[in-house]
Amino acid sequence: EGGLYTVVLHFSETWFTPANSAGGVGSRVFDVYCNGATLLKNFDILKDAGDLAHRAVVRTFRHIPASPLGKIELTFVPIVNYALINAIEITQE
């Protein structure tokens, strides 16, 4: 409680790839929230990866306060298809 944290989110699109007939930019779009605050809005992994499948996209957020209960709560809200996360790192600052 009362601490600040760094949250690192790791993404890589493994399904909606450009080679897939249903793939490409815009195939998976979602929002990411942490303790109710927006971290990513209309996030599209392939758009950020330059339309390259399996390319790592890493987003780092510093100075994230814990909730009053001492928690870091991440919420992934789908816009187009399901949200996808490959790894989450949370470290105390």
Side-chain angles (χ1 to χ4, degrees):
E1 185 177 345
L4 294 177
Y5 296 84
T6 296
V7 176
V8 182
L9 305 177
H10 298 261
F11 306 92
S12 180
E13 183 56 67
T14 57
W15 179 257
F16 292 110
T17 62
N20 185 331
S21 62
V25 172
S27 297
R28 184 189 310 274
V29 180
F30 55 96
D31 296 339
V32 180
Y33 300 91
C34 182
N35 295 342
T38 305
L39 294 182
L40 297 169
K41 188 76 176 162
N42 294 316
F43 183 65
D44 184 333
I45 300 168
L46 278 177
K47 183 176 179 184
D48 279 27
D51 207 20
L52 296 173
H54 305 284
R55 180 182 219 177
V57 175
V58 179
R59 294 290 174 261
T60 302
F61 304 92
R62 290 178 171 72
H63 314 300
I64 302 291
S67 73
L69 296 175
K71 297 183 179 188
I72 299 293
E73 183 177 339
L74 295 169
T75 307
F76 299 83
V77 179
I79 309 269
V80 178
N81 288 305
Y82 293 103
L84 171 73
I85 184 81
N86 297 91
I88 300 170
E89 295 177 67
I90 299 175
T91 54
Q92 190 170 14
E93 295 178 355

